Amino acid sequence: IYSRLADGTNDVFFAMNSDFLCNYWNKASERLTGISAKDVIGKSLYKLFLELTGTRVDAVYKNVSKTNKAQRFENKYRRENKDFMLEISVYPCPNGLSVFVRDITKLKQAEESLQANERQLRLITDNLPALICYLDSMGRYRFANKQYFNWFKIPQTELIGKHYREIIGEDAYRQVKI
């Protein structure tokens, strides 16, 4: 039943014994690597992927084996001139390791795009001669431009996350009725 669950997911899942020999390789593992389960089972991951030795992945596998504590990290993977960003979760098991790998390439690309848009917005708003801020539905600051910080003489780190009444004061709030 577990193999049907593991093969039904889009996430990579494989298991290794304490000698790092693969004893399970799901369908998503095959799709990501291009290597079939029959070519992996019973073999060392380090012989299949020579580039693993001495890498961060290698260090995590060995550390989880030694400490018996799970670890999660992100790592780049390249196959056929295509780059992937992977989130890798390594769990200790009674007889080795279980490894779950999620392809987060599109998520990372979306994050990078969002950050680029935020930098562009900041550049535009910081160069406008107006006080600009954005408050969430609870009245807490989520964004303000350079002029806003300068006007209230408060650093960005102290403004973002605060309620607007803490900044403009209760008396000003009553007068302005924001």
Side-chain angles (χ1 to χ4, degrees), residues 5-178:
L5 286 171
D7 279 338
T9 182
N10 288 326
D11 292 341
V12 167
F13 171 74
F14 61 94
M16 299 179 282
N17 67 18
S18 57
D19 294 322
F20 301 109
L21 300 177
C22 280
N23 51 30
Y24 187 80
W25 191 257
N26 77 348
K27 300 285 185 202
S29 298
E30 292 179 346
R31 285 191 299 274
L32 179 68
T33 64
I35 303 171
S36 68
K38 67 179 176 53
D39 294 330
V40 172
I41 303 301
K43 295 187 179 152
S44 167
L45 211 57
Y46 293 97
K47 290 202 168 125
L48 293 165
F49 300 96
L50 299 173
E51 68 276 8
L52 279 180
T53 303
T55 65
R56 179 179 181 194
V57 175
D58 178 32
V60 169
Y61 289 166
K62 289 175 180 170
N63 189 48
V64 172
S65 290
K66 186 172 118 181
T67 64
N68 241 13
K69 291 184 181 173
Q71 282 189 255
R72 177 177 288 153
F73 64 102
E74 293 176 3
N75 202 64
K76 290 182 182 177
Y77 175 69
R78 187 170 182 82
R79 177 173 174 237
E80 298 173 357
N81 295 323
K82 185 174 180 189
D83 292 321
F84 298 88
M85 182 55 87
L86 306 174
E87 178 186 68
I88 303 171
S89 302
V90 184
Y91 298 93
C93 294
N95 62 346
L97 300 175
S98 291
V99 182
F100 294 86
V101 181
R102 175 168 285 159
D103 181 356
I104 57 170
T105 306
K106 288 181 182 173
L107 175 65
K108 287 297 182 181
Q109 289 168 344
E111 285 175 0
E112 288 171 10
S113 177
L114 180 61
Q115 289 170 353
N117 288 342
E118 287 174 352
R119 284 190 300 272
Q120 215 170 19
L121 176 64
R122 166 100 22 228
L123 182 66
I124 292 167
T125 59
D126 279 349
N127 288 296
L128 291 174
L131 302 179
I132 300 171
C133 71
Y134 169 73
L135 306 173
D136 65 17
S137 62
M138 301 299 289
R140 299 198 181 282
Y141 287 95
R142 293 296 170 223
F143 174 86
N145 70 343
K146 183 171 56 174
Q147 286 73 12
Y148 201 92
F149 296 121
N150 293 340
W151 177 268
F152 286 103
K153 295 178 176 58
I154 186 167
Q156 178 178 0
T157 55
E158 292 179 28
L159 179 75
I160 302 303
K162 285 197 176 171
H163 195 277
Y164 67 88
R165 289 184 196 169
E166 294 177 66
I167 304 304
I168 67 169
E170 194 62 39
D171 290 337
Y173 168 73
R174 285 191 192 109
Q175 291 174 12
V176 177
K177 294 286 187 195
I178 294 177

